[in-house]
């Protein structure tokens, strides 16, 4: 319960922050790591208010469950802002928000179904790892480019 309260506070703060700045600090591509079962998957978030709000909450670890034999899903304790719902085709690796049930989801299999959702981003490769996983902790964290010192030549 304590963790949910913290997430709700962070959702509210992130939403206000996003509204106030209206995207001015997100000029760069938002790269993230999706960590599951000791494996890091790299992803890029789209430039929209829901993605920015999710990014502002990071790092965040949630218990996702396998649903519809297609996706890993977590019901958020608060709403993300929706700017443009899409019902077009989706791809394996898509990270989405389904506002109907307040769900953050990762698509790992395509079954041809169409549904309205807010696209948040896309995992570069490896989303199929979720195919044989039931319920598991998944961490979403900003990807920080390593800053290695330049060698003296």
């Amino acid at each position: 319960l304590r963790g949910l309260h913290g997430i709700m506070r962070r959702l509210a703060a992130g939403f206000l922050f996003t509204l106030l700045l209206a995207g001015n600090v997100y000029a760069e591509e938002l790269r993230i790591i999706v960590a599951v079962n000791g494996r890091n998957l790299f992803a890029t978030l789209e430039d929209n208010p829901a993605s920015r709000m999710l990014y502002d909450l990071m790092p965040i670890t949630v218990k996702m469950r396998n649903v519809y034999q297609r996706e890993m899903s977590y019901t958020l304790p608060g709403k993300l802002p929706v700017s443009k719902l899409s019902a077009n085709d989706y791809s394996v690796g898509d990270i989405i928000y389904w506002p109907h049930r307040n769900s953050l989801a990762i698509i790992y299999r395509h079954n041809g179904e169409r549904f309205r959702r807010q696209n948040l981003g896309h995992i570069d490769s490896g989303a199929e790892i979720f195919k044989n996983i039931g319920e598991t902790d998944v961490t979403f964290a900003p990807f920080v480019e390593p800053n290695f010192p330049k060698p003296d030549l």
Side-chain angles (χ1 to χ4, degrees):
L1 188 61
R2 182 182 217 175
L4 285 178
H5 181 2
I7 291 172
M8 288 177 65
R9 273 197 347 252
R10 290 170 70 187
L11 276 170
F15 182 67
L16 289 173
F17 182 75
T18 301
L19 286 176
L20 289 172
L21 294 181
N24 292 334
V25 298
Y26 300 99
E28 294 181 23
E29 189 174 70
L30 296 179
R31 295 283 294 158
I32 66 169
I33 294 173
V34 179
V36 58
N37 292 349
R39 185 158 171 214
N40 290 335
L41 307 176
F42 296 91
T44 303
L45 294 182
E46 294 190 10
D47 185 15
N48 63 52
S51 296
R52 290 190 297 266
M53 186 171 172
L54 179 64
Y55 188 83
D56 289 339
L57 295 172
M58 295 179 191
I60 183 173
T61 299
V62 297
K63 188 165 291 297
M64 298 189 89
R65 60 186 166 78
N66 200 321
V67 295
Y68 308 123
Q69 299 178 349
R70 171 189 69 207
E71 65 193 61
M72 296 298 289
S73 179
Y74 171 74
T75 302
L76 293 165
K79 295 187 179 296
L80 294 179
V82 175
S83 61
K84 181 181 175 191
L85 290 178
S86 176
N88 60 354
D89 205 13
Y90 59 87
S91 300
V92 169
D94 282 353
I95 302 170
I96 64 160
Y97 172 61
W98 190 44
H100 179 69
R101 294 219 185 240
N102 243 16
S103 298
L104 171 66
I106 298 171
I107 305 294
Y108 67 80
R109 184 174 158 262
H110 198 292
N111 68 0
E113 182 183 357
R114 292 182 182 258
F115 55 95
R116 292 176 57 80
R117 69 205 177 276
Q118 172 73 58
N119 293 323
L120 300 176
H122 187 80
I123 295 173
D124 299 342
S125 65
E128 299 82 9
I129 190 175
F130 293 106
K131 200 176 289 184
N132 297 314
I133 296 176
E135 186 174 86
T136 192
D137 287 337
V138 178
T139 300
F140 295 84
F143 173 71
V144 179
E145 193 73 42
N147 188 11
F148 296 113
K150 296 189 182 196
D152 293 330
L153 298 177

